[in-house]
Amino acid sequence: MSGHGDPRPMRAERGGALSGEAHVPGDKSISHRSLILGALSVGETRIRGLLEGEDVLATAAAMRAFGAEVTRDDAGEWHVHGVGVGGFGEPEDVIDCGNAGTGVRLIMGAMATSPITATFTGDASLRSRPMGRVTDPLALFGAKAHGRTGGRLPMTIVGASSPVPARYTLPMASAQVKSAVLLAGLNAPGETVVIETEATRDHTERMLAGFGAAVRVEDTNEGRVITLTGQPELRPQSIDVPRDPSSAAFPVAAALIVEGSDVLVPNIGLNPTRAGLYETLRDMGADLTYENIRDEGGEPVADLRARYSPDMVGIEVPPERAASMIDEYPILSVVAANARGRTSMHGVKELRVKESDRIDAMAVGLRAAGVTVDEGPDWWEVEGMGAGGVPGGATVEARLDHRIAMSFLCLGMASQKPVTVDDAAPIATSFPIFTGLMTGLGARLT
Ligand code: S3P
């Protein structure tokens, strides 16, 4: 799990229009949480539409290692027999979370208030990412962390044997850190409080409430205050995982920039904490419509229709929108390169600590493809070259980052000369059917 084997280069070149329907996989964030909350419930949780990508499969394996029974039936439904809050057993071996920051950080939170010890590792990308942002608040509950210098994996967490609840204000906009604290709070007596000054994706709060925990969310002068009452008995659920808006971004963006395209991407969750990219594309003049808008399980859902949009213009992306589209800046920069004028993206320093430094990875690759990019510590700007104006003709590094690989392949579908990524293997972490889905729409990927 902690590597992707031999690099698999992939080349994208301009072909005909993209058309048809793109059925993207289940939401990665909700898939991780479904497995973890299922494992912390008493009884059987059933999950339909789980994302069967490497990241989520690593979380399924981890839940087994902590004692839950996790199986998949022939119809593709997943069954989790949970051990209850406080019921995690000590894993016999190292927990390998592969490429998954969400997986490792949420699981660390979920085990930190049980009297067990677990050691975590991951691939080269995950081993380079900061874990102190999670272990600092977990220490407030009484958990101890021993990792490599700089708070990197491999890392051992010694769970608190007499946990106390915590009150924590997030120092950065991170749903992973918020979720780790809330999951730790589950097995602490009394009320755990997390305060966020910028709203981040709220799946953990919503799902905890759905599983029967007492969760209160209040908007105050301090920010968004989330209060969880510890030691609930979580009730197992039947979950339909919505399709991932972050994966939908790739067929949508490709349709906007490939001449003549018209693509429908059905059943996409448009939770406002996730839908910032689509607002931004519409602000740029994209021909992107929401069809069949409806409510599913308390979340807004729509079919997205994206048509070739040769008249898009660069904009200043509102920084307050950053958290709601944080994973979508790489693909936005590809659309921006195909728009007229400059697109500025500010307040985005979190991009530097994702699966790769996403500002640097995109800037280096876009420049190699002939696009002008300026950058600073927490901002970057892309000079648009107009529809079909990107020269391309470059081989770029994916840096073990699925979204970087998919973004550059979409760039190659619209640029004058092909774009090759050195390794497309990481795409399997979040979107294992990407290549087949895109070639099914008419893309040329080899
Ligand atoms: C996620 C939160 C975000 C996002 C990641 C998924 C989650 O990370 O980038 O892909 O499911 O909670 P941060 O919490 O680091 O912003």
Side-chain angles (χ1 to χ4, degrees), residues 55-113:
D55 277 14
V56 174
L57 298 178
T59 290
M63 292 303 98
R64 289 188 194 106
F66 284 102
E69 191 186 307
V70 183
T71 54
R72 177 190 193 276
D73 67 25
D74 292 342
E77 186 168 299
W78 285 73
H79 304 258
V80 183
H81 288 267
V83 293
V85 168
F88 271 2
E90 187 164 280
E92 286 175 11
D93 204 347
V94 173
I95 303 294
D96 187 343
C97 289
N99 191 251
T102 307
V104 75
R105 290 182 176 135
L106 269 57
I107 297 168
M108 282 179 174
M111 59 75 57
T113 44

Side-chain angles (χ1 to χ4, degrees), residues 53-424:
E54 289 171 0
D55 277 14
V56 174
L57 298 178
T59 290
M63 292 303 98
R64 289 188 194 106
F66 284 102
E69 191 186 307
V70 183
T71 54
R72 177 190 193 276
D73 67 25
D74 292 342
E77 186 168 299
W78 285 73
H79 304 258
V80 183
H81 288 267
V83 293
V85 168
F88 271 2
E90 187 164 280
E92 286 175 11
D93 204 347
V94 173
I95 303 294
D96 187 343
C97 289
N99 191 251
T102 307
V104 75
R105 290 182 176 135
L106 269 57
I107 297 168
M108 282 179 174
M111 59 75 57
T113 44
S114 291
I116 55 174
T117 295
T119 300
F120 296 87
T121 193
D123 70 4
S125 154
L126 193 58
R127 291 195 308 272
S128 74
R129 298 180 68 184
M131 295 298 144
R133 54 176 53 202
V134 170
T135 55
D136 288 350
L138 295 184
L140 303 175
F141 292 91
K144 293 196 168 48
H146 307 281
R148 283 195 302 131
T149 313
R152 317 275 153 174
L153 303 180
M155 178 175 273
T156 297
I157 307 283
V158 182
S161 44
S162 307
V164 289
R167 181 182 177 89
Y168 191 67
T169 301
L170 295 177
M172 74 289 287
S174 169
Q176 293 177 358
V177 178
K178 169 176 66 175
S179 303
V181 175
L182 289 171
L183 292 171
L186 276 177
N187 199 36
E191 290 192 334
T192 285
V193 181
V194 189
I195 300 151
E196 57 179 5
T197 48
E198 271 178 72
T200 63
R201 65 191 69 195
D202 59 359
H203 307 301
T204 302
E205 301 89 297
R206 286 173 185 252
M207 292 178 73
L208 276 169
F211 275 80
V215 188
R216 216 168 55 240
V217 181
E218 293 151 301
D219 285 313
T220 72
N221 295 341
E222 262 184 303
R224 221 171 140 261
V225 180
I226 306 150
T227 306
L228 169 77
T229 305
Q231 299 182 326
E233 180 168 310
L234 296 184
R235 291 189 300 268
Q237 297 297 302
S238 175
I239 299 173
D240 284 297
V241 179
R243 294 174 192 268
D244 197 326
S246 298
S247 296
F250 298 101
V252 164
L256 298 178
I257 61 175
V258 174
E259 196 172 348
S261 298
D262 183 348
V263 170
L264 186 73
V265 191
N267 298 324
I268 301 304
L270 290 178
N271 176 320
T273 62
R274 297 288 300 280
L277 172 74
Y278 300 112
E279 294 309 306
T280 300
L281 292 173
R282 280 150 63 118
D283 290 349
M284 293 171 77
D287 185 350
L288 170 64
T289 49
Y290 303 159
E291 299 181 357
N292 193 14
I293 301 174
R294 56 208 181 271
D295 187 279
E296 271 178 26
E299 301 252 356
V301 171
D303 304 336
L304 307 183
R305 181 172 290 280
R307 296 189 181 88
Y308 178 53
S309 302
D311 297 321
M312 288 185 288
V313 291
I315 62 163
E316 273 181 36
V317 182
E320 63 276 12
R321 206 180 270 171
S324 70
M325 53 180 289
I326 196 67
D327 289 337
E328 282 65 75
Y329 283 93
I331 189 63
L332 174 65
S333 71
V334 168
V335 175
N338 282 277
R340 276 195 317 274
R342 194 165 260 258
T343 293
S344 322
M345 298 165 279
H346 289 251
V348 291
K349 66 173 184 298
E350 280 295 302
L351 291 179
R352 298 219 178 258
V353 290
K354 295 293 178 186
E355 284 83 330
S356 66
D357 174 342
R358 285 183 169 159
I359 297 178
D360 189 62
M362 289 308 299
V364 169
L366 283 168
R367 285 180 195 130
V371 182
T372 300
V373 182
D374 295 318
E375 61 177 293
D378 72 342
W379 63 271
W380 52 319
E381 297 187 352
V382 174
E383 194 63 50
M385 306 189 81
V390 176
T395 295
V396 300
E397 285 180 22
R399 304 193 187 178
L400 285 182
D401 189 330
H402 52 133
R403 298 199 203 281
I404 299 300
M406 290 186 280
S407 296
F408 280 123
L409 290 171
C410 290
L411 182 72
M413 292 173 203
S415 53
Q416 291 156 8
K417 293 201 188 115
V419 172
T420 301
V421 294
D422 65 339
D423 186 12

